Amino acid sequence: MDEFTLIDHFFKAIPLRRQDVLLGIGDDAASVQVPPGYELLVSTDTLVSGIHFLPDWNPYDIAFRSLMVNISDMAAMAAEPCWVTLALTLPELNQSWLEPFAKGLGDGLQQYHIDLIGGDITQGPLAINLTILGLAPKGRLIKREGAKPGDVILVSGPLGAAALAIQLLSDKTVPVKDREELMAKLLAPKPRTDLIHLLRTQATAAIDISDGLSADLNHLCVAGRVGACLTKEAIPVYPLLNKYLKDKAVDLALTGGDDYELCFTLPAKQLDSFMQAASLANSPCYPIGFIEKDKGLRIKSANNICETLIPTGYTHF
Ligand code: ADP
Ligand code: MG
């Protein structure tokens, strides 16, 4: 199979479902329709073999996870993810690898009503680059900047499962049931598109947690030129962390990345109505602290002792 047959067979074959795709795979560029009153958002992410995933992972999981990571960036802006392009770098044209890869991608696209509209294939060390495009009503994006002193800080779900999965990857003593539960969190994170509308109407700032809560909250604070104080007991820790890490569980919930939950802020007077709306929508969120005027991060434990929190999380260089 040559490159072009391969594109047709594996990627052009993924059905287009959106009416707003004017031109999909096959030409020099794709074209999409941006509705009046909306703005177009673009975000790109590269996942490199050996860094973001292991070469022996199932190609289905590699594709699915890559897509979820990209969708999460749109959720963090309160934008609807609509279209993606895929730039694949492959060591060889291996059909038995591409088959499950295209299936994982196709399943993820279908689940989130996104169309694959183009891409590129080159030879080299295995890497996946996805560019995602999304829509938001003009001027209604939620950015990293925008948090104000007094705003409540929330996260959209328990943290640390993906980081624990990585820690326990080669630990043979972990029961299969726990391993499967954690690996599912690592391989198939659920980008929080369910929160887009609530965030759009209520949030002052938002970010997705890819590097770790403390690192990503720090980005949000730096962008807004504010600081934050968290309540240690309020941080939702993924239950299995308590089993494996005991008193170190909160530390991993604060620093472990790859969960792709959202961290966002709201004016404090809106908290009650937001919490009601979120639980009605089956998207419970967790208030974990407040934005403060003083820059930097702090964390308060049960005895009300306030300590400096050094933002730590994943960095590449
Ligand atoms: P060009 O040489 O003009 O860049 P390509 O041969 O790279 O064109 O691609 C031909 C068509 O196939 C283009 O429309 C491109 O968007 C699409 N395409 C290439 N690789 C992929 C891929 N991995 N996934 C989806 N579409 C792809
Ligand atoms: Mg090309």
Side-chain angles (χ1 to χ4, degrees):
M1 214 184 249
D2 69 16
E3 187 186 319
F4 302 103
T5 329
L6 182 147
I7 293 168
D8 284 354
H9 183 79
F10 290 112
F11 298 115
K12 202 171 177 190
I14 297 176
L16 293 175
R17 299 182 180 87
R18 300 182 62 99
Q19 302 293 316
D20 51 14
V21 176
L22 305 176
L23 189 59
I25 293 174
D27 218 307
D28 291 315
S31 172
V32 295
Q33 178 85 51
V34 178
Y38 279 75
E39 55 187 290
L40 182 67
L41 288 90
V42 186
S43 171
T44 196
D45 259 306
T46 303
L47 289 95
V48 176
S49 178
I51 309 273
H52 302 95
F53 60 87
L54 298 176
D56 64 349
W57 282 10
N58 188 329
Y60 183 101
D61 295 328
I62 296 174
F64 191 86
R65 183 169 186 281
S66 305
L67 180 63
M68 297 305 128
V69 168
N70 274 262
I71 295 174
S72 177
D73 284 318
M74 286 295 148
M77 305 293 294
E80 181 204 348
C82 300
W83 314 283
V84 291
T85 62
L86 163 70
L88 254 187
T89 310
L90 298 172
E92 55 186 346
L93 288 188
N94 177 345
Q95 286 190 51
S96 62
W97 190 92
L98 277 162
E99 186 91 47
F101 181 88
K103 177 85 173 88
L105 183 68
D107 284 357
L109 292 167
Q110 181 178 17
Q111 273 180 37
Y112 285 84
H113 192 59
I114 298 170
D115 278 356
L116 175 68
I117 56 168
D120 191 34
I121 298 190
T122 44
Q123 189 174 29
L126 179 60
I128 293 120
N129 173 280
L130 280 166
T131 297
I132 190 158
L133 300 110
L135 292 172
K138 256 191 189 121
R140 304 279 301 279
L141 303 179
I142 305 299
K143 302 179 193 164
R144 291 181 177 188
E145 67 175 52
K148 296 279 172 285
D151 283 358
V152 193
I153 305 164
L154 297 97
V155 289
S156 59
L159 302 174
L164 184 62
I166 293 169
Q167 277 195 8
L168 299 180
L169 218 48
S170 53
D171 184 340
K172 298 279 176 281
T173 66
V174 178
V176 177
K177 187 175 150 287
D178 291 358
R179 176 182 301 281
E180 282 177 353
E181 180 180 330
L182 292 170
M183 284 309 285
K185 300 298 279 184
L186 176 65
L187 296 178
K190 292 196 171 67
R192 301 304 304 268
T193 51
D194 54 314
L195 287 168
I196 289 173
H197 291 282
L198 274 174
L199 291 185
R200 189 177 286 163
T201 49
Q202 307 217 36
T204 48
I207 190 167
D208 67 330
I209 307 175
S210 55
D211 297 334
L213 173 62
S214 65
D216 289 316
L217 174 60
N218 188 53
H219 293 143
L220 186 149
C221 286
V222 169
R225 298 197 200 90
V226 290
C229 183
L230 301 180
T231 302
K232 196 168 184 180
E233 280 65 36
I235 297 185
V237 173
Y238 192 80
L240 279 179
L241 269 69
N242 294 314
K243 173 172 173 184
Y244 288 96
L245 303 173
K246 311 243 154 49
D247 54 335
K248 294 269 183 288
V250 182
D251 293 341
L252 193 65
L254 279 167
T255 57
D258 294 314
D259 287 317
Y260 298 97
E261 292 294 344
L262 299 177
C263 174
F264 56 96
T265 54
L266 319 165
K269 62 175 185 330
Q270 281 164 231
L271 180 62
D272 289 346
S273 68
F274 179 90
M275 293 294 280
Q276 267 180 19
S279 73
L280 254 170
N282 230 338
S283 311
C285 292
Y286 304 79
I288 58 167
F290 288 93
I291 294 292
E292 296 180 339
K293 205 165 94 219
D294 282 348
K295 299 201 175 92
L297 303 185
R298 291 159 291 282
I299 188 159
K300 223 167 28 185
S301 37
N303 49 15
N304 250 340
I305 296 175
C306 196
E307 294 169 70
T308 301
L309 176 65
I310 311 277
T312 27
Y314 191 81
T315 52
H316 280 273
F317 298 102

